């Protein structure tokens, strides 16, 4: 467990058992800057193979080898076995984080790869839990992903030309974009009807406001050279 964070209750990196295509250096940096590194049981196998030692391994423990479980215990990882099948390991981990007072969560490995049903389920669970944490985001290879789960405004920082995609989930009403190449003014977005793909920031600051609904905001993670 790392204590570099200055947050009151701490920051957790949650690694799920999906496709984690984030470069290993970036994963290490995120873990090093967190208070807690928690893995679902299948994700712990990925972590241990790369000498990333979880503080907590959680799930029904059917996706981790006995050898990896022994190693995790030898490294003083807390093993949390939750065999109930009404919820997936992603939700189990998020509930555990809530119960333990974590207020900032960074999620990795939420992509299902060839299992698009897993990917969609994970996004549904993440959107549902985003409102329960003051700071909540996810990363993949190309994106930082923010979850707009309630009316309001988010202010973005980045660079001129930063690509931003807006995915209503499933409806976002009265959306206003300021500081974008393609602005919106109190316009509605609907999944499968009208999304906001591949917009661009005009400078290092922009904003998104929404009157109601929910939205996934995909921000280009690294500036193109």
């Amino acid at each position: 467990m790392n204590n570099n964070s200055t947050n009151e209750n701490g920051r957790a990196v949650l690694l799920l058992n999906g496709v984690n295509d984030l470069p290993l250096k970036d994963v290490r940096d995120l873990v090093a800057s967190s208070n807690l590194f928690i893995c679902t049981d299948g994700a712990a196998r990925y972590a241990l193979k790369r000498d990333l030692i979880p503080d907590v391994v959680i799930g029904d423990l059917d996706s981790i080898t006995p050898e990896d479980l022994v190693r995790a215990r030898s490294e003083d990882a807390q093993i949390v076995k939750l065999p109930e099948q009404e919820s997936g390991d992603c939700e189990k981990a998020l509930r555990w984080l809530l119960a333990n007072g974590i207020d900032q969560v960074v999620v990795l490995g939420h992509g299902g790869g060839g299992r698009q049903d897993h990917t969609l389920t994970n996004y549904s669970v993440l959107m549902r839990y985003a409102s329960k944490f003051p700071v909540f985001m996810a990363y993949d290879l190309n994106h930082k992903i923010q979850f707009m789960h309630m009316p309001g405004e988010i202010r973005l920082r980045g660079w001129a030309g930063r690509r931003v995609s807006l995915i209503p989930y499933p409806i976002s009403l009265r959306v206003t974009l300021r500081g974008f190449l393609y602005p919106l003014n109190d316009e509605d977005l609907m999944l499968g009807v009208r999304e906001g793909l591949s917009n661009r920031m005009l400078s290092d600051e922009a904003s998104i406001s929404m009157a109601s609904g929910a939205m996934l905001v995909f921000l280009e993670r690294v500036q193109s050279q």
Side-chain angles (χ1 to χ4, degrees):
M1 185 178 295
N2 184 290
N3 291 312
N4 291 332
S5 174
T6 59
N7 303 316
E8 181 180 353
N9 293 318
R11 178 184 186 186
V13 172
L14 168 59
L15 181 62
L16 303 177
N17 189 28
V19 173
N20 176 46
D21 50 13
L22 203 65
L24 184 57
K25 178 186 181 302
D26 294 346
V27 177
R28 292 189 187 280
D29 288 346
L30 286 168
V31 170
S33 66
S34 69
N35 294 95
L36 186 75
F37 180 38
I38 178 171
C39 296
T40 57
D41 53 4
R45 298 179 63 188
Y46 167 95
L48 290 167
K49 285 179 182 177
R50 292 156 179 83
D51 291 323
L52 288 164
I53 308 303
D55 296 303
V56 179
V57 177
I58 191 167
D60 53 17
L61 304 187
D62 66 347
S63 299
I64 187 170
T65 65
E67 294 79 11
D68 284 336
L69 198 56
V70 167
R71 184 182 176 196
R73 286 195 171 106
S74 74
E75 299 280 4
D76 295 325
Q78 180 180 353
I79 309 300
V80 181
K81 184 174 183 179
L82 298 173
E84 60 91 3
Q85 298 298 313
E86 294 302 313
S87 57
D89 287 347
C90 173
E91 185 163 4
K92 292 173 184 175
L94 292 169
R95 285 203 307 257
W96 188 94
L97 289 168
L98 277 175
N100 283 273
I102 296 297
D103 60 2
Q104 300 197 26
V105 179
V106 173
V107 181
L108 310 175
H110 57 282
R115 290 295 304 270
Q116 296 302 316
D117 52 340
H118 286 186
T119 302
L120 291 171
T121 297
N122 283 340
Y123 273 118
S124 179
V125 172
L126 295 177
M127 180 63 81
R128 181 153 46 90
Y129 276 81
S131 63
K132 303 178 187 296
F133 296 92
V135 177
F136 192 86
M137 67 193 75
Y139 287 93
D140 63 23
L141 176 62
N142 296 309
H143 304 101
K144 173 184 177 181
I145 303 152
Q146 295 186 217
F147 299 79
M148 287 193 74
H149 50 78
M150 63 179 62
E153 179 183 62
I154 60 172
R155 295 182 180 273
L156 307 178
R157 293 187 177 274
W159 56 88
R162 187 181 195 184
R163 187 175 62 245
V164 181
S165 289
L166 311 179
I167 308 299
Y169 206 81
I171 297 173
S172 307
L173 299 180
R174 295 179 58 193
V175 176
T176 295
L177 304 181
R178 305 207 183 279
F180 283 90
L181 179 62
Y182 306 108
L184 296 177
N185 187 23
D186 276 353
E187 298 181 50
D188 298 340
L189 302 178
M190 181 180 297
L191 189 64
V193 177
R194 187 188 186 191
E195 295 91 7
L197 294 176
S198 297
N199 209 332
R200 298 275 182 174
M201 291 174 59
L202 293 176
S203 67
D204 59 359
E205 294 186 357
S207 67
I208 304 169
S209 64
M210 179 181 69
S212 64
M215 181 190 301
L216 296 168
V217 181
F218 288 78
L219 302 158
E220 188 174 24
R221 194 175 68 86
V222 178
Q223 186 171 5
S224 301
Q225 298 300 319

